[in-house]
Amino acid sequence: MTYSMKTKKQQVLNLAGWTWSWVATLALATFGPQFIWDDHQLLTILFVGLNFANGIAMVIANRHFFNSLDELQRKIQLEALGITLGLTVIIGITYSLLDTTNLIGADAEIGFLVGIIGIVYMVSTLIIRKRYA
């Protein structure tokens, strides 16, 4: 294994660790007040802050990961992120508009938009990678 591959593997593991840490603290901040600490306000504030700090660390790990990529991989990621940002804004605003004009029965939830972000990013990355393969 070359030094570059080892470094890239370390960057991926670092990003995965911070991502899972962020997801875990998000779950604790979301479900903890109801199921673990019985709406204790100080613990809730602590875990919301911890989740925010983990989110910042995840963004920094993501930046390090992108900086470890070669030029083609960066181009693929940049295109995928651009498509994801554009479609997410369009879909999110349309979804919100459908909710505020009562054209849909349910309230617009951010979880739906987060799911759309993940799906669009994954699909656009696969399509762009295939195009450059």
Side-chain angles (χ1 to χ4, degrees), residues 17-113:
W18 280 113
T19 302
W20 282 110
S21 173
W22 178 76
V23 170
T25 58
L26 177 64
L28 281 170
T30 302
F31 300 113
Q34 185 178 0
F35 297 111
I36 300 174
W37 53 77
D38 197 26
D39 288 328
H40 191 279
Q41 193 172 17
L42 183 62
L43 287 175
T44 302
I45 291 170
L46 178 73
F47 276 94
V48 168
L50 184 64
N51 177 253
F52 182 79
N54 271 272
I56 298 295
M58 182 179 67
V59 169
I60 292 169
N62 213 347
R63 183 176 182 273
H64 289 291
F65 170 71
F66 282 119
N67 286 336
S68 74
L69 297 176
D70 64 29
E71 194 172 312
L72 178 60
Q73 290 172 329
R74 281 188 202 172
K75 182 174 176 52
I76 291 169
Q77 294 298 321
L78 184 63
E79 286 185 34
L81 288 170
I83 290 169
T84 302
L85 175 65
L87 283 177
T88 301
V89 168
I90 291 168
I91 292 170
I93 289 174
T94 302
Y95 186 49
S96 176
L97 190 60
L98 289 172
D99 180 29
T100 58
T101 56
N102 293 322
L103 291 174
I104 56 174
D107 290 332
E109 297 289 336
I110 191 70
F112 173 78
L113 197 58

